[in-house]
């Protein structure tokens, strides 16, 4: 079965510093990977996706993610963190059983806290 | 577009009562999803529809839960009878097919508290 793991429950970073939120995946077949963000009392919002092509994917709000096949990772990055980036971040993978589906499997989430 | 619209935003009910959560997806989206979020279990997919047809309901906890999508602009999730362990935030999401597939737009959620 497809799965993603987010090894850190929380990441703390100072404003202006680079940030990384980690995600590793386990899939059969080609991975379709996603990052979503959830602000307090809101639904999740799509940030970016990797389907194929360039390993560095750029998304909304200055975020990017690097697909690394050898390490089975898809870490979310941003060169300079903002206090407003503080939120819950979810990695996700498209499910696949006997064929591609439109179902996403989400990780457990990583709380990003950016200190001013 | 107003996005995915869910109602009610908050619901407090007593154990044993019927609960109905409603969702209006984005017009033109072919897929509709119901997720449940709790601290203990994270984000769980309950059921999803394609063109109003249920495709996968393997995440529906038990027979107390049911979901319908009578037309392309409306879905509801019912819990009857409700139990305290059903307390959670329930999200509806929709997505297009094709190249936009898996890019879900979520509603703001319905926070359910069962006493």
């Amino acid at each position: 079965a497809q799965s993603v793991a987010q090894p850190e429950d929380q990441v703390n970073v100072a404003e202006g510093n680079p940030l990384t939120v980690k995600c590793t995946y386990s899939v059969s077949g080609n991975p379709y990977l996603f990052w979503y963000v959830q602000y307090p009392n809101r639904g999740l919002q799509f940030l970016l996706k990797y389907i194929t092509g360039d390993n560095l994917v750029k998304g909304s709000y200055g975020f990017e993610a690097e697909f690394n096949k050898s390490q089975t990772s898809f870490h979310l990055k941003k060169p300079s963190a903002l206090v407003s980036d503080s939120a819950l971040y979810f990695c996700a993978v498209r499910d696949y059983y006997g064929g591609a589906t439109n179902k996403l499997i989400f990780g457990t989430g990583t709380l990003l806290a950016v200190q001013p | 577009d107003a996005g995915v619209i869910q109602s009610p935003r908050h619901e407090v009910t007593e154990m044993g009562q019927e609960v109905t959560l409603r969702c209006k997806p984005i017009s033109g989206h072919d897929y509709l999803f119901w997720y449940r979020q709790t601290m203990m279990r994270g984000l769980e997919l309950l059921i999803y529809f394609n063109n109003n047809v249920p495709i996968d309901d393997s995440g529906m906890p038990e027979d107390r839960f049911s979901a319908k999508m009578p037309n392309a602009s409306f879905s509801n999730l019912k819990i009857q009878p409700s139990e305290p362990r059903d307390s959670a935030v329930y999200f509806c999401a929709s997505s297009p097919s094709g190249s936009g597939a898996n890019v879900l737009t979520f509603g703001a959620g319905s926070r359910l508290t069962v006493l």
Side-chain angles (χ1 to χ4, degrees):
Chain A
Q2 319 288 74
S3 66
V4 289
Q6 294 182 244
E8 301 157 316
D9 290 336
Q10 182 162 340
V11 169
N12 298 305
V13 64
E15 188 173 32
N17 283 359
L19 69 87
T20 298
V21 182
K22 295 179 181 177
C23 173
T24 58
Y25 65 88
S26 174
V27 303
S28 53
N30 295 322
Y32 281 37
L33 297 161
F34 304 80
W35 277 100
Y36 283 76
V37 60
Q38 185 180 26
Y39 297 101
N41 299 313
R42 302 283 295 275
L44 280 69
Q45 296 177 33
F46 169 77
L47 275 180
L48 52 79
K49 67 179 179 180
Y50 172 83
I51 305 295
T52 186
D54 195 346
N55 290 343
L56 187 64
V57 180
K58 294 190 183 297
S60 308
Y61 312 123
F63 283 92
E64 57 190 26
E66 185 171 9
F67 172 70
N68 188 317
K69 188 173 183 178
S70 62
Q71 297 185 6
T72 61
S73 66
F74 188 57
H75 300 333
L76 182 70
K77 301 183 179 187
K78 188 174 182 181
S80 178
L82 299 172
V83 172
S84 57
D85 292 330
S86 299
L88 190 56
Y89 289 82
F90 290 93
C91 182
V93 63
R94 187 183 70 175
D95 201 10
Y96 184 96
Y97 46 90
T101 77
N102 213 36
K103 177 177 170 179
L104 288 184
I105 307 297
F106 285 90
T108 51
T110 298
L111 183 64
L112 174 66
V114 182
Q115 283 87 37
Chain B
D1 197 322
V4 175
I5 300 172
Q6 292 187 246
S7 65
R9 288 296 312 277
H10 301 275
E11 174 93 4
V12 180
T13 191
E14 293 191 346
M15 183 173 62
Q17 296 299 305
E18 179 177 291
V19 173
T20 299
L21 308 178
R22 298 174 181 81
C23 175
K24 177 178 168 56
I26 290 175
S27 176
H29 280 189
D30 302 305
Y31 289 88
L32 184 139
F33 305 82
W34 282 100
Y35 281 89
R36 177 172 69 176
Q37 186 176 36
T38 61
M39 289 292 292
M40 291 295 294
R41 300 174 69 91
L43 200 60
E44 303 172 276
L45 176 65
L46 300 177
I47 185 172
Y48 80 95
F49 296 83
N50 180 24
N51 292 324
N52 314 337
V53 176
I55 302 301
D56 184 347
D57 65 354
S58 59
M60 295 286 262
E62 49 201 89
D63 292 345
R64 298 185 298 107
F65 285 69
S66 64
K68 289 187 178 2
M69 191 167 185
N71 57 62
S73 58
F74 177 74
S75 175
N76 63 27
L77 177 69
K78 288 191 178 182
I79 309 172
Q80 168 62 15
S82 58
E83 296 182 4
R85 60 188 167 131
D86 302 331
S87 297
V89 181
Y90 291 81
F91 288 104
C92 176
S94 68
S95 79
S97 53
S99 61
N102 301 128
V103 179
L104 277 59
T105 300
F106 281 76
S110 294
R111 182 176 295 275
L112 173 64
T113 302
V114 183
L115 304 174

